[in-house]
């Protein structure tokens, strides 16, 4: 089994694992907010996940290019299963505390620093270049399907099964990912000679590669900006919904599922369409339209309006991320994609933990005291979403961003 057929089996296992992880994340969000009643608790959950993910990314990229990508992914999936097993054990012993959630969130983030560059680089070797955008669309579709089904399943099963049952289902999903990985042959690109550089030098290589190519660096600065603005709002969005609905898990599940459904529609569209011929249009317009929906969520009222706008916000994310992924897969040589993709993610995603660290205190200590918990967070959505629209469209004014695809040669022939 090779090519796209092998990818479909790999995709299935990863999709099931995503459903389990999303169910656990939904349940932990409710558990944490019910325990403390603070948006800061939710922002710290995200912060402790993203900080190690970002800090370990350069080292993880070097490891991905040194060792078979299949075994790197297996290590990450096995580690995720162990983390969920720890949560299950603490719950069964009656000892589950908020700091346990922070600890597991940080451990999962460190594992994620390995998994994403390994998966991205593995798909580049497994697939032909013409299938890159379609595969990116299917991966976005998997994430979005998990976003649709996981909140509904978690909300329906949380009362009868409890947190322990949710954790057990997460373990089943992780087992599916491990099994399919064992079955799929993933090529590892041949290197011309045994590495002579140190692991630290290899970790820094990705940054040197990107900085020497201004169009790629400019693209990542665009992502840094949009990630910072949208994360300031999205991190505390569940707190707004819960504050305005008297802690209704059903309404939060509706909004989360609508967001996932929008991602499903966007991923399916990209899978069938393949995206615009000029990928940068998908990047910049995706930023602008998704941010516009987020801004409008700040002025809308009621579960139906929130759900509709959450759908629209997620609809454009597969186009945004899939178009960007296709650019990078085409411009970066296969044998160094692990290092370069890890550095790329660190540049773009370093904004996330910074924004998460700020968003909770902004909501609890600045906006909420003046406008109320729900209305204060709604104002944050309107403000930062509007700035995201402006930021996305500003990319058309920067030649290195606007013409990134033509300024750089392809690394892999058609």
């Amino acid at each position: 089994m090779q090519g796209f057929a092998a990818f479909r089996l790999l995709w299935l296992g990863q999709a099931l694992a995503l459903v389990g992880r999303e169910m656990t994340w939904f349940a932990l969000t409710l558990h944490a907010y019910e325990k403390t009643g603070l948006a800061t608790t939710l922002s710290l959950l995200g912060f402790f996940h993203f900080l190690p993910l970002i800090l370990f990314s350069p080292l993880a990229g070097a490891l991905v290019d040194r060792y078979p990508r299949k075994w790197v992914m297996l290590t990450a999936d096995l580690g995720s299963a162990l983390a969920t097993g720890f949560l299950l054990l603490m719950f069964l012993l009656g000892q589950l505390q908020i700091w346990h959630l922070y600890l597991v969130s940080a451990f999962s983030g460190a594992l994620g620093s390995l998994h994403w560059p390994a998966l991205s680089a593995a798909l580049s070797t497994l697939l032909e270049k013409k299938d890159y955008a379609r595969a990116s669309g299917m991966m976005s579709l998997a994430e979005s399907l998990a976003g649709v089904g996981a909140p509904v399943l978690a909300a329906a099963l949380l009362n009868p099964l409890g947190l322990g049952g949710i954790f057990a289902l997460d373990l089943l999903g992780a087992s599916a990912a491990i099994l399919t990985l064992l079955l799929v042959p993933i090529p590892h690109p041949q290197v011309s000679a045994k590495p002579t550089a140190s692991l630290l030098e290899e970790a820094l290589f990705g940054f040197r590669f990107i900085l020497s190519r201004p169009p790629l660096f400019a693209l990542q600065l665009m992502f840094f900006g949009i990630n910072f603005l949208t994360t300031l709002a999205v991190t505390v969005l569940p707190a707004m919904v819960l504050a305005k609905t008297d802690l209704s898990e059903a309404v939060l599940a509706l909004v989360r599922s609508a967001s996932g459904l929008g991602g499903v529609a966007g991923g399916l569209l990209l899978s069938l369409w393949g995206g615009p011929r000029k990928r940068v249009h998908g990047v910049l317009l995706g930023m602008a339209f998704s941010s516009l929906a987020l801004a409008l969520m700040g002025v809308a009222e009621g579960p139906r309006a929130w759900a509709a706008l959450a759908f629209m916000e997620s609809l454009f994310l597969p186009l945004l991320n899939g178009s960007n992924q296709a650019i990078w897969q085409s411009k970066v040589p296969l044998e160094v994609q692990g290092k370069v993709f890890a550095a790329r993610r660190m540049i773009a995603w370093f904004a996330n933990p910074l924004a998460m660290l700020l968003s909770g205190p902004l909501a609890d200590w600045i906006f909420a005291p003046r406008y109320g918990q729900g209305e204060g967070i709604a104002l944050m959505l309107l403000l930062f979403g509007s700035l995201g629209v402006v930021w996305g469209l500003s990319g058309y004014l920067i030649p290195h961003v606007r013409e990134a695809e033509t300024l750089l040669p392809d690394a892999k022939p058609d």
Side-chain angles (χ1 to χ4, degrees):
M1 182 167 46
Q2 295 179 342
F4 215 82
F7 166 73
R8 282 195 291 266
L9 180 59
L10 178 66
W11 177 88
L12 177 62
Q14 295 299 310
L16 292 173
L18 280 169
V19 171
R21 285 197 292 269
E22 285 295 319
M23 289 180 67
T24 293
W25 189 256
F26 180 88
L28 292 181
T29 298
L30 283 172
H31 178 75
Y33 192 75
E34 287 174 355
K35 285 286 185 181
T36 66
L38 295 173
T40 300
T41 306
L42 304 187
S43 66
L44 285 176
L45 273 176
F47 171 78
F48 284 117
H49 177 79
F50 270 94
L51 185 63
L53 189 154
I54 299 304
L55 294 180
F56 292 150
S57 282
L59 179 62
L63 293 172
V64 165
D65 286 337
R66 277 196 176 193
Y67 300 104
R69 279 110 190 223
K70 177 175 183 172
W71 296 106
V72 174
M73 292 170 65
L74 278 170
T75 300
D77 284 332
L78 282 169
S80 294
L82 288 174
T84 303
F86 171 76
L87 289 176
L88 178 58
L89 178 63
M90 290 296 102
F91 175 78
L92 293 176
L93 294 175
Q95 299 295 320
L96 187 63
Q97 304 293 328
I98 293 295
W99 71 267
H100 291 145
L101 309 187
Y102 296 155
L103 177 66
V104 168
S105 185
F107 182 64
S108 299
L111 294 172
S113 70
L114 282 171
H115 193 276
W116 183 82
L119 176 61
S120 298
L123 295 185
S124 297
T125 57
L126 185 64
L127 299 170
E128 297 180 26
K129 191 171 71 171
K130 65 181 178 63
D131 291 323
Y132 286 169
R134 192 153 61 107
S136 293
M138 287 185 65
M139 293 309 300
S140 294
L141 184 62
E143 294 172 3
S144 302
L145 284 171
V148 172
V152 174
L153 287 172
L157 298 176
L158 196 53
N159 286 332
L161 298 183
L163 275 177
I166 301 298
F167 296 152
L169 291 174
D170 189 356
L171 286 174
L172 287 177
S175 300
I178 293 167
L179 178 61
T180 53
L181 264 174
L182 291 172
L183 295 174
V184 171
I186 298 177
H188 188 65
Q190 296 293 323
V191 294
S192 56
K194 189 175 181 178
T196 57
S198 69
L199 199 60
L200 178 59
E201 288 174 324
E202 288 193 55
L204 295 175
F205 171 85
F207 295 98
R208 293 197 301 269
F209 183 96
I210 294 172
L211 290 172
S212 66
R213 291 158 177 82
L216 294 182
F217 184 55
L219 273 175
Q220 288 315 97
L221 290 182
M222 290 297 301
F223 271 84
F224 178 92
I226 201 68
N227 286 346
F228 183 77
L229 292 170
T230 56
T231 302
L232 281 170
V234 170
T235 301
V236 292
L237 174 59
M240 184 198 78
V241 174
L242 292 172
K244 286 191 171 187
T245 60
D246 194 24
L247 300 179
S248 172
E249 61 188 46
V251 174
L252 181 59
L254 172 66
V255 175
R256 284 278 183 88
S257 296
S259 176
L261 188 60
V264 169
L268 185 59
L269 175 63
L270 184 62
S271 300
L272 297 174
W273 170 34
R277 181 181 295 273
K278 190 171 183 178
R279 307 291 189 193
V280 75
H281 291 318
V283 172
L284 299 180
L285 293 179
M287 288 181 181
F289 286 123
S290 62
S291 297
L292 177 61
L294 188 61
L296 293 176
M297 205 178 300
V299 297
E301 289 292 342
R304 291 184 180 179
W306 297 333
L309 289 166
F311 176 92
M312 294 302 298
E313 192 257 343
S314 295
L315 178 67
F316 296 100
L317 294 182
L319 175 64
L320 161 61
N321 293 318
S323 298
N324 185 55
Q325 180 77 342
I327 292 173
W328 284 81
Q329 286 176 309
S330 298
K331 305 300 179 183
V332 180
L334 297 177
E335 64 272 14
V336 298
Q337 283 192 1
K339 293 186 282 285
V340 175
F341 284 9
R344 156 198 166 194
R345 182 166 66 172
M346 186 174 185
I347 294 169
W349 284 16
F350 197 75
N352 293 53
L354 293 176
M356 288 171 178
L357 201 58
L358 290 171
S359 61
L362 279 174
D364 290 330
W365 302 327
I366 295 179
F367 286 88
R370 183 180 294 260
Y371 303 103
Q373 183 80 344
E375 294 301 329
I377 297 176
L379 182 58
M380 290 174 63
L381 266 62
L382 175 61
L383 173 62
F384 298 124
S386 299
L387 290 174
V389 175
V390 175
W391 182 261
L393 294 178
S394 71
Y396 283 107
L397 303 177
I398 305 170
H400 278 313
V401 173
R402 188 178 64 245
E403 304 298 335
E405 294 165 87
T406 57
L407 292 174
L408 292 172
D410 281 359
K412 184 177 179 179
D414 291 327

